[in-house]
Amino acid sequence: MKAVEITTPGGPEVLKLQEVDEPEVADGEVLIKVEAAGVNRADTVQRRGSYPPPKGASPFPGLECSGTVIAVGRSVDRWKVGDQVCALLSGGGYAEKVAVPAGQVLPVPKGISLSDAASFPEVACTVWSTVFMMSRLTAGETFLIHGGSSGIGTFAIQIAKYYGIRVFVTAGSEEKLTACKNLGADICINYKTEDFVARVKEETGGKGVDVILDNVGGAYFQRNLNSLNLDGRLFIIGFQGGTSTEVNLSCILARRLTVQGAGLRNRSLENKAVIVAEVEKLVWPAIEAGKVRPIVYKTLPLAEAAEAHRIMESSVHVGKILLIP
C-alpha cells in the first residue's frame, strides 16, 4: 500500500508518499481502507522529530481517519467487513489502510459524508476528554477557547454551545473571529489587538471565566490564571508559545484554581476506549442533530501531505484539513 513517511526529521518537504507493507491486523483490531485522514498540529510536531509515536504504534503520521472496514481480527464483535466508520488512531492515518483497536472505532454519524467523518475523532475525543471529562465544564458556565478557528476550536465552540455554555474565543484575524461568531461563539477577541484578560474581565463583571482550553502554554500561563473565576480550571493541550515561563502562583490559592494538562495519543487502549464510548454517547447525537457540523477548510490528495502541513503551520486555515488517499 502507499503511505506518507517522515523520511527524516525536518520541514514539510520530508514527507514522501512511499510503497510500504500493509499493516497486520492483531486480535481486537479492525483494518480500515482509508477514505480520508485528518491533519493535526501534533503531526507537524512528529514530523520535526519532537513527538515520537507510542511504542507499537504505526511510524506514519495521522491521528484520525474515516473509511470502510475490510478485515476484522479475532474477538471483534461490533464491527464487520463493509462497515463505514471513523477512528481515533495512535498513528498511521496518512495511508491507504490502517489497523486500529476496535474500541477506538466509531460509526459515521448519520447525515455526515464518509470523507467529512474523518474531521471528528481527534478533535471530539480531545475536547470531550479534557474540558468535559476532566475539567467538568457544565451548562451555565463560561469557557474561553484559545485558537477558536482551529480544528479543535471550531469543534469546541459548537459542542459547548450545544451544552448551554457561554463561549469566549481568541483568534488572530477578523475573518477568523467572524467564522467563530458564525459557529456560535458569544465573545470573540482578537489577541493581536486586544488584551484578552481585560476583555474577559469586562464581559464577566470582573469575575473571569470558569474553564480555559489552551494550546499556547508558557506565553499565556500567567494571563490565563488571571482570566479565571473562583474555582476556575485551566486545561493545557499544547505549547505553541513555549514550555517555560515565570509565574506568580498566589492566585491559584486565592481563587482555588486548577491547572491540568493531558495528551490523547499516549493514553492506554482502555482509557481511549472509555473516551470514545463517551463521545459516541454524548457528542454523536449533537452531530446527528445538525448542532455540530464538520468544518473542513481544505481537502488534498495524500501525495500533497507536505502542502497540508504548510497550510497547518501557516495557521491561515479555519477548521480541519483532510488528506484523501
Side-chain angles (χ1 to χ4, degrees):
M1 70 168 187
K2 288 188 169 66
V4 172
E5 286 195 281
I6 301 168
T7 52
T8 184
E13 71 282 352
V14 305
L15 298 174
K16 301 286 187 221
L17 191 61
Q18 316 265 34
E19 279 289 339
V20 301
D21 291 336
E22 281 194 14
E24 293 181 7
V25 188
D27 291 354
E29 290 187 338
V30 302
L31 185 65
I32 297 171
K33 181 179 184 291
V34 176
E35 175 79 13
V39 177
N40 290 279
R41 198 164 288 272
D43 306 340
T44 68
V45 183
Q46 178 177 340
R47 191 203 69 228
R48 293 194 296 268
S50 302
Y51 191 40
K55 192 176 178 190
S58 169
F60 311 127
L63 298 175
E64 61 190 340
C65 75
S66 61
T68 305
V69 175
I70 54 173
V72 294
R74 284 189 304 184
S75 70
V76 174
D77 299 321
R78 179 172 181 188
W79 308 108
K80 63 184 187 302
V81 171
D83 285 345
Q84 294 199 329
V85 298
C86 54
L88 178 70
L89 311 172
S90 296
Y94 292 19
E96 291 179 326
K97 297 172 186 175
V98 65
V100 55
Q104 290 164 224
V105 179
L106 288 148
V108 172
K110 292 182 188 69
I112 301 297
S113 72
L114 184 55
S115 172
D116 281 354
S119 69
F120 283 123
E122 175 74 14
V123 293
C125 291
T126 295
V127 172
W128 193 262
S129 66
T130 54
V131 291
F132 288 93
M133 291 174 77
M134 293 178 71
S135 293
R136 305 278 179 220
L137 181 63
T138 50
E141 288 194 313
T142 47
F143 177 34
L144 170 61
I145 305 158
H146 289 303
S149 60
S150 67
I152 292 269
T154 53
F155 174 83
I157 292 166
Q158 296 181 84
I159 195 66
K161 292 309 298 179
Y162 178 77
Y163 276 103
I165 288 143
R166 188 176 181 218
V167 174
F168 293 62
V169 298
T170 63
S173 74
E174 292 311 310
E175 180 191 9
K176 288 180 176 180
L177 292 171
T178 298
C180 293
K181 192 155 198 66
N182 290 341
L183 289 171
D186 298 287
I187 309 295
C188 301
I189 304 163
N190 188 329
Y191 68 82
K192 292 180 178 174
T193 59
E194 280 191 89
D195 173 6
F196 72 80
V197 183
R199 183 76 189 282
V200 161
K201 290 291 183 69
E202 179 191 328
E203 298 285 353
T204 57
K207 291 179 179 177
V209 293
D210 298 303
V211 175
I212 299 174
L213 182 61
D214 175 56
N215 58 354
V216 176
Y220 274 13
F221 192 59
Q222 185 73 65
R223 283 186 281 171
N224 280 332
L225 294 179
N226 295 346
S227 301
L228 284 169
N229 192 6
L230 276 172
D231 296 309
R233 292 87 79 196
L234 167 61
F235 210 108
I236 299 171
I237 57 166
F239 299 108
Q240 286 173 238
T243 55
S244 58
T245 187
E246 188 171 309
V247 61
N248 181 333
L249 296 171
S250 59
C251 58
I252 292 181
L253 267 66
R255 280 183 275 125
R256 301 186 299 272
L257 306 182
T258 302
V259 179
Q260 296 167 297
L264 191 55
R265 190 183 198 182
N266 291 307
R267 291 173 182 258
S268 69
L269 295 184
E270 294 78 12
N271 192 205
K272 286 180 184 174
V274 168
I275 293 166
V276 167
E278 277 219 15
V279 164
E280 183 176 353
K281 182 180 169 189
L282 298 166
V283 174
W284 256 221
I287 298 171
E288 294 183 344
K291 302 297 186 185
V292 175
R293 297 184 289 114
I295 308 299
V296 177
Y297 176 76
K298 195 157 196 175
T299 301
L300 293 162
L302 196 54
E304 294 179 29
E307 176 60 17
H309 277 219
R310 287 186 193 100
I311 294 168
M312 172 67 72
E313 291 178 310
S314 74
S315 291
V316 297
H317 60 292
V318 173
K320 296 288 292 191
I321 302 161
L322 301 181
L323 291 171
I324 307 290

